[in-house]
């Protein structure tokens, strides 16, 4: 069967993050970042989980040299742990300001990258190092 007609083996990427301060993490990612709540469940012993819709998911695999290069471009030094979560937004500057006001620590302000995006780095609740990025180039650019 040709690749374009095969049913994908994976239907969803779900990143599961343990948050010591669950309420702060929910307030940050749902309320400040704006991820839509899909479902929430609770169980014995105060067990709680919330599933937030983050739009389209991709898994970006980078070798150590690429990771170092991205850190240099976006931050100017090596800062990211092994796992960094990136969120595409419509307005990186406004989103960065809103997330800092909601408790994130700005690691680097929105910076224009060589790959034509505006990227900021933040340390967020649940001990996540995140990128907020806005795509500046579109598929229509250069089609004049």
């Amino acid at each position: 069967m040709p690749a374009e007609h095969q049913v994908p083996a994976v239907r969803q990427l779900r990143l599961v993050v343990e948050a010591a301060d669950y309420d702060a993490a929910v307030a940050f990612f749902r309320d400040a970042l704006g991820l839509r709540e899909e479902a929430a469940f609770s169980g014995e012993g105060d067990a709680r989980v919330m599933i937030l819709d983050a739009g389209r998911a991709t898994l970006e695999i980078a070798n150590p040299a690429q990771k170092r290069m991205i850190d240099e471009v976006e931050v100017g030094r090596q800062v990211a742990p092994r796992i960094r979560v990136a969120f595409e937004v419509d307005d990186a500057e406004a989103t960065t300001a809103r997330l800092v006001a909601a408790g994130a620590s700005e690691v680097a302000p929105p910076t224009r990258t060589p790959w034509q995006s505006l990227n900021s780095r933040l340390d967020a609740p649940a001990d996540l190092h995140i990128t907020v990025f806005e795509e500046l180039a579109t598929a229509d650019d250069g089609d004049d």
Side-chain angles (χ1 to χ4, degrees):
M1 180 184 299
E4 66 269 12
H5 297 294
Q6 291 179 352
V7 175
V10 175
R11 297 196 177 277
Q12 180 180 162
L13 170 66
R14 193 172 283 185
L15 178 65
V16 181
V17 176
E18 178 184 354
D21 189 339
Y22 174 84
D23 293 326
V26 167
F28 182 85
F29 291 102
R30 183 191 61 196
D31 304 336
L33 184 56
L35 301 181
R36 186 181 56 80
E37 182 179 331
E38 277 191 9
F41 305 97
S42 59
E44 293 182 25
D46 195 37
R48 296 182 287 164
V49 65
M50 183 173 294
I51 300 168
L52 301 171
D53 182 358
R56 183 178 71 96
T58 61
L59 178 61
E60 187 173 321
I61 309 271
N63 70 7
Q66 178 69 19
K67 179 193 165 294
R68 285 189 301 273
M69 187 272 294
I70 293 170
D71 271 359
E72 286 298 326
V73 167
E74 294 182 4
V75 183
R77 66 187 190 287
Q78 301 303 294
V79 295
R82 236 180 92 250
I83 295 176
R84 173 175 50 88
V85 182
F87 297 95
E88 182 179 1
V89 298
D90 291 332
D91 185 334
E93 291 179 344
T95 301
T96 299
R98 187 171 69 249
L99 296 180
V100 168
S105 297
E106 185 178 275
V107 175
T111 302
R112 189 180 189 112
T113 68
W115 45 90
Q116 299 306 308
S117 62
L118 190 62
N119 297 20
S120 66
R121 289 287 189 92
L122 303 157
D123 284 327
D127 294 323
L128 287 179
H129 187 76
I130 68 173
T131 295
V132 171
F133 70 100
E134 172 186 350
E135 294 293 0
L136 301 174
T138 65
D140 296 332
D141 287 353
D143 290 345
D144 297 313

